[in-house]
Amino acid sequence: MPTVAPLIIFKLSIFIIATLQPPPALSLTPCRTSCGSIAINYPFGIDDGCGAPQFRSMLNCSTDLFFLTPSGGYKVQHIDYDKKTMTIYDPAMSTCSILQPHHDFIMTDIQSVTIPPTPDTVFALLNCSIDSPVLNHYKNLCFDFSGHSCDELYGACNAFRVFHLLTNSSPPCCFTGYDTVKFMRMNILDCTHYTTVINTDNLRGIGPLDWVYGIKLSFTVPETGCERCSQSGGTCGYDTETEVMTCMCSSSTNYTRECAGGSFTAGDHRSSHSPWTFFHVAILLVLSLLLVI
């Protein structure tokens, strides 16, 4: 027995050490970080559970990145995370070079609050009826921007020149902000078409042919402790059922705030990774008896 016991003890010790080794590190949660050439950072996400819940299901990545609203999908051209702006473009929108059938730009109530168009995004309502509310009771909603006029727009743009030819004059138009089209649809505004122009504060002295057409949105980053999570090596996301913020550290483990030293969320199943089991305790008892012998 004296010659056998040390060998048994040695083998059991090796077994216990091997079984108590921590499981191999798992890959990070698969939150995609880009779509094409556009980086996807917090607060946005293109996979459910990634980013901030306020922006849930707003982006879709196919061949390109699209911003989704009730009125359709708008191609994302650029996201500036420093200035907290996103520039989108509607392929079906009229511009200086092409006239398209009119439609409304509609956002959800949440989108109107969390990621509204910037003040320097101007909506140009074109070919309006003289009975249009923005030319009568709500005419204070129209304004000139950077010294430009409706006549300039109709005269410089081939696409809009047709309105002048049909009436032999320049039909009314209205330069206005997002709040106007938010509360009044195109049929109520009684204008046949619209276009949108961005960076209007820098367009003084620049003709419509050189304007930048699109919609610039301004977003805010929720204060949920994401920076703390990122610094610990995690990815900011949320529980898809409760929409409570989580710090995703692996494909199966989420923490509430950070990866190192954070507290587990309810769905982490921490006990399933506990190394000390009844089986291990039994082996240690056997070892203790052998040592006594």
Side-chain angles (χ1 to χ4, degrees), residues 55 67 84-86 105 107-119 121 178-179 182 215-220:
F55 299 91
F67 178 72
K84 297 181 176 58
T85 59
M86 175 190 295
F105 176 69
M107 304 181 79
T108 66
D109 291 338
I110 293 178
Q111 289 173 333
S112 295
V113 173
T114 60
I115 186 167
T118 58
T121 295
Y178 166 66
D179 284 344
K182 173 184 176 182
I215 301 174
K216 187 191 293 184
L217 309 173
S218 175
F219 61 87
T220 55

Side-chain angles (χ1 to χ4, degrees), residues 228-230 232 234 245 247 249 254-263:
R228 177 178 170 185
C229 170
S230 299
S232 70
M245 184 264 182
C247 184
C249 305
N254 295 340
Y255 293 81
T256 54
R257 286 293 178 263
E258 58 186 326
C259 293
S263 58

Side-chain angles (χ1 to χ4, degrees), residues 152-169:
E152 182 182 3
L153 192 62
Y154 289 132
C157 300
N158 289 332
F160 305 144
R161 196 171 294 151
V162 63
F163 300 135
H164 179 85
L165 295 176
L166 291 174
T167 61
N168 202 26
S169 62

Side-chain angles (χ1 to χ4, degrees), residues 124-181:
L125 308 178
L126 306 171
N127 196 32
C128 300
S129 165
I130 58 173
D131 297 321
S132 171
V134 293
L135 299 177
N136 294 279
H137 187 66
Y138 298 106
K139 60 183 179 180
N140 61 307
L141 297 176
C142 300
F143 52 79
D144 290 332
F145 76 91
S146 301
H148 297 291
S149 66
C150 295
D151 287 341
E152 182 182 3
L153 192 62
Y154 289 132
C157 300
N158 289 332
F160 305 144
R161 196 171 294 151
V162 63
F163 300 135
H164 179 85
L165 295 176
L166 291 174
T167 61
N168 202 26
S169 62
S170 296
C173 79
C174 171
F175 298 121
T176 190
Y178 166 66
D179 284 344
T180 301
V181 298

